[in-house]
Amino acid sequence: VSTQSTGRFSIRKKVARTLEAGELVTDSLVIEILEANLQSDACKLGFMLDGFPRTLVQAEKLDSYLGEHNEPLNNVVEFKVNDGVLVDRISGRMIHQASGRTYHEVFAPPKEHMKDDVTGEPLMKRPDDNPTVLKRRLDIYHEQTAPLIKFYADKGVLRSVDAMQSPEKV
């Protein structure tokens, strides 16, 4: 389930404005998106949450929702990576918007600068994929999200992955 998968334009617009400002989406907006999506047919057989929960309040609301619907939380995956490496990886990302193909300035550059290899169309960079915004978001992560590691470890569902390795190993 992704904040971008909701079909409700007003919610998507709020999310976009928030991310462009380098902020994280508020708990109430994320919960609204989550509940709408989890009740959809697409989630009847199960679901994976990417980037949620981000706060203890969200984790508690998720636990409450899952308990009310008799849904177990099977695993929480933590990708362990150094902040500097993460900034380098994300700030170099380029996207072909129509297809979703991704490139990277260093790790997977397109054949021609800022052009999609398949169509030749321009690539774009997300406005929030820059070092200044990413460092601000990482500060928020360490303050608000890092405590979830202990929260889920105590529940016995945390799985940590060393994401400093090559993508093939991860």
Side-chain angles (χ1 to χ4, degrees):
V1 175
S2 166
T3 56
Q4 296 178 359
S5 68
T6 181
R8 296 180 357 190
F9 180 74
S10 64
I11 293 174
R12 291 178 71 184
K13 193 172 181 179
K14 287 181 201 175
V15 169
R17 280 196 310 261
T18 301
L19 293 176
E20 286 171 7
E23 300 292 328
L24 295 178
V25 179
T26 64
D27 288 345
S28 61
L29 185 55
V30 172
I31 298 299
E32 183 181 345
I33 294 166
L34 176 74
E35 288 181 356
N37 280 283
L38 291 183
Q39 294 168 11
S40 73
D41 288 343
C43 293
K44 284 192 178 184
L45 297 176
F47 54 89
M48 180 184 301
L49 302 174
D50 179 4
F52 181 86
R54 292 186 181 186
T55 66
L56 285 172
V57 169
Q58 290 177 355
E60 290 162 355
K61 289 192 182 275
L62 176 62
D63 277 359
S64 174
Y65 179 89
L66 293 175
E68 290 170 12
H69 292 85
N70 296 316
E71 290 284 343
L73 180 64
N74 299 320
N75 293 294
V76 172
V77 180
E78 170 200 17
F79 292 97
K80 297 175 98 171
V81 63
N82 172 286
D83 286 1
V85 170
L86 191 59
V87 169
D88 290 345
R89 288 178 181 174
I90 294 174
S91 62
R93 181 169 53 182
M94 298 171 284
I95 303 166
H96 179 248
Q97 203 162 10
S99 69
R101 279 185 291 278
T102 59
Y103 299 86
H104 191 277
E105 292 170 349
V106 175
F107 307 117
K111 294 173 187 166
E112 188 177 340
H113 180 69
M114 292 300 291
K115 300 249 182 181
D116 179 55
D117 289 349
V118 176
T119 65
E121 296 171 342
L123 300 175
M124 56 93 55
K125 293 186 82 159
R126 286 177 33 171
D128 58 329
D129 281 358
N130 69 72
T132 303
V133 170
L134 290 168
K135 287 175 185 171
R136 179 164 165 37
R137 292 182 76 189
L138 282 168
D139 288 343
I140 294 168
Y141 166 83
H142 290 295
E143 179 185 321
Q144 296 179 7
T145 307
L148 294 177
I149 295 167
K150 180 178 179 346
F151 179 82
Y152 285 117
D154 290 348
K155 290 181 173 287
V157 295
L158 181 69
R159 308 292 179 258
S160 295
V161 176
D162 178 3
M164 295 291 289
Q165 303 176 85
S166 69
E168 297 77 27
K169 288 185 180 181
V170 173

